[in-house]
Structures are given as structure tokens and as C-alpha cells.
């Protein structure tokens, strides 16, 4: 009992205090974080902050901070493997998520510096002629468009990530398999694009003559001494890293987590890197060399300066993007990138003016309390300014849908289920609602709002800006993407009518089998004089109703599958689309047979029999119409 108790105490201490802390000698008593936290008290501050979440809302986290080119804090919290009680430590390997994109943009800038690539050149000049066959507009798509996420690509939802390494194909094959349509004119709308980033990495492959992950290893990881990282999603290729890779988890309820899968990608450059937080710290430091020193990533000092300069923003006060780095409204100018995979969440932010960086990696899907909450505490937020004559917040209220969305196929329904809703909340404040989350945003400049409260998950959107035109909202910019007004054919009244019709059709076809069963039992108990004369028609009505039930069941299963795991190959859902065709075809045949039987001169159908067939015919027409409207056949 005593031994078991000591093990329990030791496990709790590991959970709360994490792994060994590493400080830069002679630096712990000097300086402060950008938000003003003294470095001497930094560890205590972080310990106190994370103890509210670790083990309760967050499985594990690796936190590294650097100042003036040296690590000032490196510590693990919680568990890398809950089942085996293995704590997070400095050598714990986690998935970078979209922080991986920064390695792509760094590679692009290296090649641009060497004159091998022009950021303003149409990327089709670098690609084989059979690439990008789904472009809608004639305007060139440039590398700068890819860096600014405004090339106009839709969000193609399939074949982005897999749950086993066997499914991974080459980068080129992945790009060809998941090619998106272009639904916006280049440069007009920001719609965060994983495909665009991986396409840029493929161009790096073509220009350099090396597989992208080999290029990164040679030109980024090795020069920076990043020995514990790999620019690839299949860590099994590096057994020494695989041994230290954390398991990923999903939050279930307070103190309860379930294991998720690792992330495997053919288009791995946009989110497939794996490595330690300390390696990411080396990467971050390369963008903040000391005065008079040269970044090991570039040959000329002005290259780094140009890369970190703003390349796009919707408004002067709104954070924009700096050649792939997203700006953050910290106390000082802050740049970085967050990341999410199937079961990991990460964040990297650098403050070049202060030569400070914070890296947070967690082995939990969608974690925000530490990933975004702690980041905000460390880098701070710029002070709210009092501005007079601000426009009324009611000007920007309404419902908006993400520009980052599928343009075709049944998944185009998804953005309509997660609309952003804005409504006034007191003087100069907006309430932002999205997917069950709410946040309060204070207007700090005309049409520019800063988050002041609400769910921590919305900390990923510290500010939003309403772009106005002719007194109407043209777009709501929220950091990494735009939200747009609902299109003319899918306004709220249209959506409400669709929802009502869907509820009626689904309810009818779920209930109808039970009604038919009851009717069959009752008819067996009593002899009906109409049992023979209308038998054929009633069988057709029964078949039609059951076919409708089959269509509803097929699409409910499809919806549940996508909600439980949207990281699927298109080949996984294609059979269900075929089933839609088959069942709808059967329904058409049954309806035709009913109509023929009605018009036949030898028909013995009663008025009652005909009336009984009208409702299922109407409901099947409604159901098929909805499936056509939302493209559940493609």
C-alpha cells in the first residue's frame, strides 16, 4: 500500500510539474516577456497557469520560450501517454500541425532569394501543364497569392489526412487526387488553403530537384541543428523519433480523454511535420538574429526583413499576413502560426523587436486553453484605444458564412450549419457566435473589433474587421479567413424553408416503416374487401416509403461518419453517393408504376388508395429535391 501510494504521489508530481526545466545561464533574472512577466518568475507563472487545465481539460503540453537567442524556459506538463503514465518531456515528439507551413514559405523565400523563383510569377509557369485544371478565372495565380491564402481555392474536404501510413501517397499524387476548384477571383478573398501551401511545396520540389522533405532537412533542419524533427507525416521512417512521439487525445469531459489517431498525409507539407518544441524554438530563433548577425536560413539580411514585412491586410489596424506568418495583435508586433491535426494542437509566436518567442505544443485535438490562452498571457495584447464617433454596431449584424468552404458536392452544406452570427451587445460591442461558441468584441476603430471576453477557443480570432461597401458588409475578416454574406439563393429564409422541409421529410420516412408495420398487423386481423383490389398499389406505396427510408438512413449515416471523422478519403464516401442514385432511381420507378396503375382502364383503385399514395410521392419529391439542392449526388 505504501509503495502504491508513493507511485501515485510521484505520478501527480509529474503531471503538475512536468519534466526538467532548462534555463539559459545568467538570463533567468534579466528581462521580461513582451507582456511584462519577469523572466525570473516565468516558470512559476506558467506552472500556476497550466495547473488549472492539465489533467482536467488538457492532457499534456510542451512549453518552450526563448529570449535573445537563448532558451529561458523549456518544460513539459501532463502526459504524453496517459495509459502508460509517460510524462511530457523536452524530447517528446508531437505533430506540428499547420506550423509546418512556415517551413514551406521559408523554402520558397530561399529559392526566391537565389533568383530561382519569382513571388509574382504565375505559378502555372512552374507546374506541369495538366496541373490546376479547375481554375475558373483567367487572372494569374502567384506564389504571393498562395502565401496570402487568396488564390481563390475552395476547401476540398477529402483526402487531406489519413489515419494509417499505408494510405499515404506521394506529394504529387496527393495534389492530383485532391485538386480543388477555384471559386473566388485571385486576390479578392482570404480563404485559408492547405492545398495552396502543399502546391507551393511541390513547386519547391520541381525547382530544387529534391523531394520536399529532403529539401527541408538539408536547407532548414540541418543548418539549425533540428535533429529531433522530420518534415514528413510518417514518423515510422525515423524510429528514434517514433519512440518518443506522444499519443494524441480527444477531450471527453472534465478529467477524461480518449485516444485519437496520428496524422498521416500525402499533402504533408501543410501540416505533417513532427518534432520537439525545443527544435521549433531553434526554428523560431532563426528569424530573430542579433543585431549585426545573419540568419542561417538566408544569404542576405534584407531577405529576412522582407519576409517578415506585411504582405497582405484588410485594414491598417487589422492583423494581416507576412509572407506566410500571421500577425498577432500582441503588445509588440507578433508573428506566428497555429496548428491542428487530428489529435494535436500547437502555436508558435515570435516577437522580433524583443527577440522573444513562445512555442506551445499539446497532444490534444483543438486544445485552446493553453495553446491560445497562455500565448496571450505571454505576448500580451495591444491596448484598447478610445475612439470617438464610432459607427453603430448594428451596421454589421447578421449571418455570415466562411469563405473557406467547399464550392461543390454535399459538403457545401457544412458551412451553412456553422454560420457566424453577429449581433450588438451593449455600446460598441458585438457578440460573435459560431458553432456553439460565443465571444465579445469591442469596437476600437471604425469597423475594427478586438476580443475582450468569451470562449477561449475564439482567441484564435483576436480581432475582426468588417469591410463595408455602399452601407453593407462585404466581408468579415477574422485573422486567417473571411466570412461573407449569404449568397442570394441561400438567404436565411431559404435556409429556414430548407430546414423545415428536411425535418418533415426525414421525420416522415423514419416514422413510415412503423406505420406500415402497424397497418399490416391490423389488416391481418381483419378481412378487408379492398385487400385484393388495391393490393398492388399498396405494395408500391410500401416500396416507395421504404425506399425513402433507405435514402434518409443512407444520408444520416453519411452525415454521422463525416461528423465523427471528416479526415476521410473520397473513396470512403463515394459508395454512399452511388446508393443515393440507386435508391432515387428505384423511387422514380415506383412513382411511375403508381401513376400508370392510376391511369389504367382496368385499375380497381379506390379514391382512398390514391389518396394514400399522394403523401409518400410528395415526400419523396421533397427529399430528392433537397438532395439535388445540396448536391448529395456528387
Amino acid at each position: 500500500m505504501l509503495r502504491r501510494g508513493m507511485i501515485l504521489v510521484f505520478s501527480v508530481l509529474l503531471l503538475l510539474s512536468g519534466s526538467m526545466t532548462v534555463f539559459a545561464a545568467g538570463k533567468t533574472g534579466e528581462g521580461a516577456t513582451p507582456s511584462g512577466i519577469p523572466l525570473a518568475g516565468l516558470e512559476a507563472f506558467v506552472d500556476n497557469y497550466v495547473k488549472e487545465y492539465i489533467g482536467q481539460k488538457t492532457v499534456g503540453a510542451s512549453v518552450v520560450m526563448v529570449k535573445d537567442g537563448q532558451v529561458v524556459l523549456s518544460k513539459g506538463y501532463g502526459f504524453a501517454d496517459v495509459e502508460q503514465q509517460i510524462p511530457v518531456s523536452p524530447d517528446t515528439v508531437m505533430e506540428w500541425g499547420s506550423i509546418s507551413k512556415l517551413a514551406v514559405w521559408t523554402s520558397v523565400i530561399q529559392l526566391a532569394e537565389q533568383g530561382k523563383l519569382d513571388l509574382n510569377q504565375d505559378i502555372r509557369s512552374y507546374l506541369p501543364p495538366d496541373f490546376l485544371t479547375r481554375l475558373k478565372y483567367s487572372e494569374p495565380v502567384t506564389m504571393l497569392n498562395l502565401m496570402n491564402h487568396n488564390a481563390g481555392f475552395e476547401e476540398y474536404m477529402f483526402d487531406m489526412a489519413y489515419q494509417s501510413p499505408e494510405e499515404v501517397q506521394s506529394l504529387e499524387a496527393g495534389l492530383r487526387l485532391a485538386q480543388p476548384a477555384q471559386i473566388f477571383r485571385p486576390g479578392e478573398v482570404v480563404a485559408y488553403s492547405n492545398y495552396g501551401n502543399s502546391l507551393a511545396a511541390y513547386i519547391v520540389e520541381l525547382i530544387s530537384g529534391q523531394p520536399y522533405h529532403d529539401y527541408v532537412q538539408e536547407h532548414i533542419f540541418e543548418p539549425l541543428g533540428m535533429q529531433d524533427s522530420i518534415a514528413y507525416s510518417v514518423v515510422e521512417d525515423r524510429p528514434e523519433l517514433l519512440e518518443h512521439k506522444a499519443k494524441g487525445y480527444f477531450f471527453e469531459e472534465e478529467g477524461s480523454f480518449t485516444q485519437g489517431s496520428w496524422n498521416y498525409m500525402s499533402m504533408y507539407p501543410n501540416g505533417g511535420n513532427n518534432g520537439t518544441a525545443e527544435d521549433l524554438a531553434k526554428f523560431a530563433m532563426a528569424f530573430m538574429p542579433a543585431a549585426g548577425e545573419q540568419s542561417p536560413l538566408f544569404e542576405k539580411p534584407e531577405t529576412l526583413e522582407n519576409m517578415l514585412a506585411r504582405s497582405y491586410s484588410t485594414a491598417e489596424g487589422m492583423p494581416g499576413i507576412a509572407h506566410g506568418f500571421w500577425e498577432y495583435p500582441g503588445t509588440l508586433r507578433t508573428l506566428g502560426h497555429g496548428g491542428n491535426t487530428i489529435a494535436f494542437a500547437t502555436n508558435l509566436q515570435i516577437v522580433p523587436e524583443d527577440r522573444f518567442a513562445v512555442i506551445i505544443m499539446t497532444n490534444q485535438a483543438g486544445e485552446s486553453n493553453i495553446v491560445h490562452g497562455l500565448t496571450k498571457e505571454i505576448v500580451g495584447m495591444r491596448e484598447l484605444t478610445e475612439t470617438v464617433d464610432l459607427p453603430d454596431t448594428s451596421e454589421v449584424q447578421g449571418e455570415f458564412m466562411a469563405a473557406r468552404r467547399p464550392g461543390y458536392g454535399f459538403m457545401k452544406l457544412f458551412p451553412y450549419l456553422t454560420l457566424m452570427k453577429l449581433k450588438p451587445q451593449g455600446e460598441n460591442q458585438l457578440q460573435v457566435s459560431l458553432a456553439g461558441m460565443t465571444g465579445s468584441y469591442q469596437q476600437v476603430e471604425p469597423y475594427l473589433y478586438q476580443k475582450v471576453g468569451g470562449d477561449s477557443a475564439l482567441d484564435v480570432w483576436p480581432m475582426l474587421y468588417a469591410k463595408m461597401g455602399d452601407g453593407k458588409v462585404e466581408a468579415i475578416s477574422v485573422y486567417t479567413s473571411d466570412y461573407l454574406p449569404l449568397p442570394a439563393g441561400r438567404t436565411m429564409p431559404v435556409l429556414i424553408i430548407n430546414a423545415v422541409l428536411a425535418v418533415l421529410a426525414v421525420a416522415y420516412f423514419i416514422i413510415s416503416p412503423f406505420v406500415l408495420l402497424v397497418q399490416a398487423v391490423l389488416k391481418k386481423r381483419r378481412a378487408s374487401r379492398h385487400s385484393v383490389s388495391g393490393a398492388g398499389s399498396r405494395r408500391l406505396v410500401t416500396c416507395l416509403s421504404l425506399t425513402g427510408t433507405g435514402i434518409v438512413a443512407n444520408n444520416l449515416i453519411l452525415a454521422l461518419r463525416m461528423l465523427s471523422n471528416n479526415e476521410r478519403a473520397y473513396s470512403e464516401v463515394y459508395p454512399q453517393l452511388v446508393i443515393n442514385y440507386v435508391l432515387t432511381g428505384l423511387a422514380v420507378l415506383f412513382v411511375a408504376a403508381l401513376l400508370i396503375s392510376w391511369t389504367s382502364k382496368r385499375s380497381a383503385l379506390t379514391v382512398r388508395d390514391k389518396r394514400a399514395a399522394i403523401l409518400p410521392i410528395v415526400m419523396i419529391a421533397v427529399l430528392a429535391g433537397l438532395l439535388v439542392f445540396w448536391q448529395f449526388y456528387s
Side-chain angles (χ1 to χ4, degrees), residues 35-49:
S35 63
I37 302 168
L39 297 185
L42 183 58
E43 180 183 14
F45 177 89
V46 175
D47 287 351
N48 186 61
Y49 182 91

Side-chain angles (χ1 to χ4, degrees), residues 200-226:
Y202 180 56
I203 292 173
V204 170
E205 276 196 358
L206 295 174
I207 293 176
S208 67
Q210 293 179 274
Y212 168 76
H213 56 87
D214 286 343
Y215 178 93
V216 171
Q217 188 68 36
E218 179 180 342
H219 298 278
I220 298 177
F221 288 179
E222 289 180 4
L224 299 181
M226 297 171 63

Side-chain angles (χ1 to χ4, degrees), residues 517-534:
L517 180 62
V518 171
Q519 288 177 341
V521 171
L522 292 176
K523 282 179 182 178
K524 269 193 173 184
R525 291 182 179 179
R526 67 184 183 210
S528 172
R529 59 185 172 182
H530 301 297
S531 60
V532 176
S533 62

Side-chain angles (χ1 to χ4, degrees), residues 546-567:
L546 293 178
T547 301
T549 302
I551 295 173
V552 167
N554 181 55
N555 287 285
L556 287 177
I557 293 170
L558 176 60
L560 289 173
R561 290 182 69 206
M562 294 306 300
L563 288 173
S564 65
N565 174 28
N566 61 2
E567 303 287 4

Side-chain angles (χ1 to χ4, degrees), residues 110-148:
Q110 287 178 338
L111 294 177
E113 182 185 55
Q114 298 166 23
K116 298 177 180 178
L117 186 153
D118 185 343
L119 301 185
N120 295 297
Q121 178 81 18
D122 191 328
I123 58 173
R124 282 172 288 189
S125 64
Y126 302 110
L127 294 168
D130 57 344
F131 254 79
L132 298 185
T133 58
R134 301 183 68 192
L135 294 183
K136 179 180 179 180
Y137 298 97
S138 59
E139 288 88 342
V141 176
T142 68
M143 184 61 71
L144 203 55
N145 288 137
L146 300 184
M147 301 179 103
N148 293 335

Side-chain angles (χ1 to χ4, degrees), residues 186-202:
E188 284 191 354
V189 173
V190 175
Y192 188 88
S193 176
N194 286 309
Y195 186 90
N197 180 265
S198 286
L199 184 61
Y202 180 56

Side-chain angles (χ1 to χ4, degrees), residues 62-111:
S62 184
V63 181
V64 177
M65 299 184 200
V66 298
K67 178 79 168 75
D68 295 329
Q70 298 188 60
V71 174
V72 295
L73 174 68
S74 176
K75 195 166 184 179
Y77 298 89
F79 291 112
D81 186 328
V82 174
E83 293 74 22
Q84 300 298 320
Q85 296 287 282
I86 300 174
V88 176
S89 64
D91 63 355
T92 296
V93 173
M94 296 195 190
E95 295 174 358
W96 289 23
S98 287
I99 295 176
S100 307
K101 291 179 173 65
L102 297 180
V104 176
W105 305 133
T106 301
S107 303
V108 165
I109 294 297
Q110 287 178 338
L111 294 177

Side-chain angles (χ1 to χ4, degrees), residues 15-17 44-61 77-78 251 253-257 364 367-370 373-374 377 456:
L15 176 68
L16 293 176
S17 62
F45 177 89
V46 175
D47 287 351
N48 186 61
Y49 182 91
V50 303
K51 72 180 182 182
E52 179 181 347
Y53 305 106
I54 292 293
Q56 300 301 311
K57 298 179 181 179
T58 305
V59 173
Y77 298 89
F251 174 81
E253 59 184 8
E254 193 88 0
S256 177
F257 310 92
Q364 181 175 313
E367 204 284 336
S368 62
N369 292 301
I370 296 177
L374 179 58
E377 294 292 331
S456 63

